[in-house]
């Protein structure tokens, strides 16, 4: 595995891999603090592409002023070992100053979608995501880029950005990877103390219940949201930010789950903000 820290170096290395005839370059952008969710995307990329590039960049532009940018877990050596062991060809590890020169002044916003779900409580977050993802895609120029379904709103917004701006890249989503007790893997799980870790299980539990209700024929979004909120209320330490039942592409609320529908939840456990979701179809 080759590690590159400059944009010029990464561009040249990616160009070298793409130049091999018929070779397909897969790309997994990350913010590091890697877990099996990230590695499952790397595995998928390895299955579907000939070469795999990964970036680790904790993007300051997607953190609000009172968010956890300074505390965000940073484990570059461990991450690099995991990626090397997973057969990654290129690791892009730029410093913030390499990605954002002092006169950087461009922001890319997918209007509408960027203000929905997490975008409602994290103003500017998704613009920070789309700006950095567009920049990374321009640097790497992959044939295929891989994102996690756990960030379902992010995935919808990136798909829309890529389609609107005709990025020549196929966007592929990887399924949520869960701990044995159901908690969706997240780099932010590291913030939870043992009591909070236990409380956090309620997020996946409420989604599982919604899934079962849908399988049992309940299609009305209002009823499903009530059921999910009732379960979440069993853990008073968990502050619910939203329970939403939306179209997975537009992120707009739907009245029932007769089509493929995204059920998404965001909550704070202590000061840690967690998200989870499930795709259902009535
Ligand atoms: O999902 C993430 O880790 C980040 O939002 C991403 C896509 C790497 C952009 O910084």
């Amino acid at each position: 595995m080759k590690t590159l820290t400059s944009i010029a170096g990464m561009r040249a290395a990616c160009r070298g891999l793409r130049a091999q005839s018929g070779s397909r370059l897969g790309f997994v952008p990350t913010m590091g603090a890697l877990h099996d969710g990230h590695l499952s995307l790397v595995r998928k990329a390895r299955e579907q592409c000939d070469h795999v590039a990964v970036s680790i960049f904790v993007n300051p532009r997607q953190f609000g002023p009172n968010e956890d940018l300074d505390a965000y877990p940073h484990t570059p050596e461990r991450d690099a070992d995991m990626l090397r062991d997973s057969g990654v060809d290129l690791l892009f590890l730029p410093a913030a100053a390499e990605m954002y020169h002092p006169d950087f002044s461009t922001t890319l916003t997918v209007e509408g979608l960027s203000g929905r779900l997490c975008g409602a409580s994290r103003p500017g977050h998704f613009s920070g995501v789309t700006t950095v993802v567009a920049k990374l895609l321009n640097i790497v120029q992959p044939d295929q880029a891989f994102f996690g379904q756990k960030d379902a709103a992010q995935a919808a917004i990136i798909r829309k950005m890529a389609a609107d701006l005709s990025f020549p890249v196929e966007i592929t989503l990887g399924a949520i990877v869960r701990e044995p007790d159901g908690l969706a893997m997240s780099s932010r799980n590291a913030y939870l103390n043992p009591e909070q870790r236990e409380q956090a299980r309620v997020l996946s539990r409420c989604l599982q219940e919604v899934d079962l209700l849908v399988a049992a024929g309940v299609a009305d979004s209002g009823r499903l949201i009530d059921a999910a909120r009732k379960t979440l209320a069993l853990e008073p330490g968990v502050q619910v930010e939203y329970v939403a039942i939306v179209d997975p592409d537009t992120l707009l609320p739907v009245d029932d789950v007769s089509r493929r529908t995204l059920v998404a939840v965001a909550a704070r456990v202590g000061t840690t903000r967690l998200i989870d979701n499930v795709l259902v179809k009535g």
Side-chain angles (χ1 to χ4, degrees), residues 13-279:
C14 293
R15 198 179 301 124
L17 289 183
R18 279 196 318 271
Q20 298 176 14
S21 73
S23 106
R24 195 170 167 78
L25 178 60
F27 176 47
V28 184
T30 81
M31 298 207 300
L34 301 181
H35 50 67
D36 206 45
H38 298 109
L39 296 185
S40 73
L41 296 178
V42 170
R43 283 193 289 273
K44 214 177 182 61
R46 285 205 33 179
E47 278 160 28
Q48 299 184 13
C49 302
D50 303 290
H51 301 287
V52 178
V54 173
S55 63
I56 295 180
F57 178 60
V58 183
N59 172 34
R61 290 185 171 246
Q62 67 188 78
F63 288 80
N66 300 316
E67 294 187 349
D68 57 342
L69 174 62
D70 294 336
Y72 200 82
H74 188 61
T75 55
E77 286 90 19
R78 183 177 158 273
D79 292 348
D81 287 345
M82 288 163 89
L83 295 174
R84 196 174 298 106
D85 291 348
S86 304
V88 166
D89 299 281
L90 298 178
L91 169 59
F92 184 41
L93 202 61
E98 176 70 4
M99 289 293 277
Y100 299 121
H101 291 163
D103 60 348
F104 188 96
S105 60
T106 299
T107 301
L108 191 54
T109 300
V110 176
E111 299 291 349
L113 267 74
S114 291
R116 295 175 195 149
L117 297 188
C118 300
S121 64
R122 302 184 72 189
H125 166 67
F126 284 129
S127 298
V129 170
T130 39
T131 302
V132 82
V133 170
K135 190 168 168 91
L136 288 167
L137 290 175
N138 279 333
I139 295 166
V140 175
Q141 298 189 21
D143 297 285
Q144 205 170 341
F146 297 78
F147 297 86
Q149 170 64 29
K150 187 173 80 68
D151 297 296
Q154 167 174 286
I157 290 165
I158 289 170
R159 267 199 314 260
K160 184 77 165 63
M161 173 196 81
D164 282 357
L165 297 181
S166 306
F167 273 83
V169 63
E170 183 183 337
I171 304 292
T172 300
L173 300 190
I176 297 179
V177 179
R178 298 183 178 281
E179 301 288 355
D181 66 2
L183 181 70
M185 287 195 184
S186 162
S187 305
R188 291 191 166 96
N189 292 349
Y191 300 148
L192 302 171
N193 67 31
E195 191 190 349
Q196 293 167 337
R197 170 67 186 75
E198 188 61 26
Q199 294 169 345
R201 294 173 58 187
V202 77
L203 271 78
S204 60
R205 212 165 64 228
C206 84
L207 293 172
Q208 235 170 21
E209 280 171 17
V210 168
D211 207 15
L212 286 174
L213 285 172
V214 172
V218 180
D220 179 66
S221 298
R223 273 186 69 191
L224 295 168
I225 290 174
D226 284 349
R229 283 192 172 274
K230 243 185 215 148
T231 301
L232 289 163
L234 297 174
E235 287 290 0
V238 173
Q239 305 301 314
V240 181
E241 187 180 291
Y242 64 74
V243 178
I245 299 194
V246 299
D247 178 288
D249 294 318
T250 65
L251 306 179
L252 285 170
V254 293
D255 292 336
D256 64 54
V257 299
S258 49
R259 284 168 302 146
R260 200 168 142 272
T261 303
L262 177 70
V263 184
V265 54
R268 268 178 207 282
V269 186
T271 54
T272 304
R273 188 175 180 282
L274 299 178
I275 55 173
D276 199 351
N277 69 80
V278 65
L279 282 165

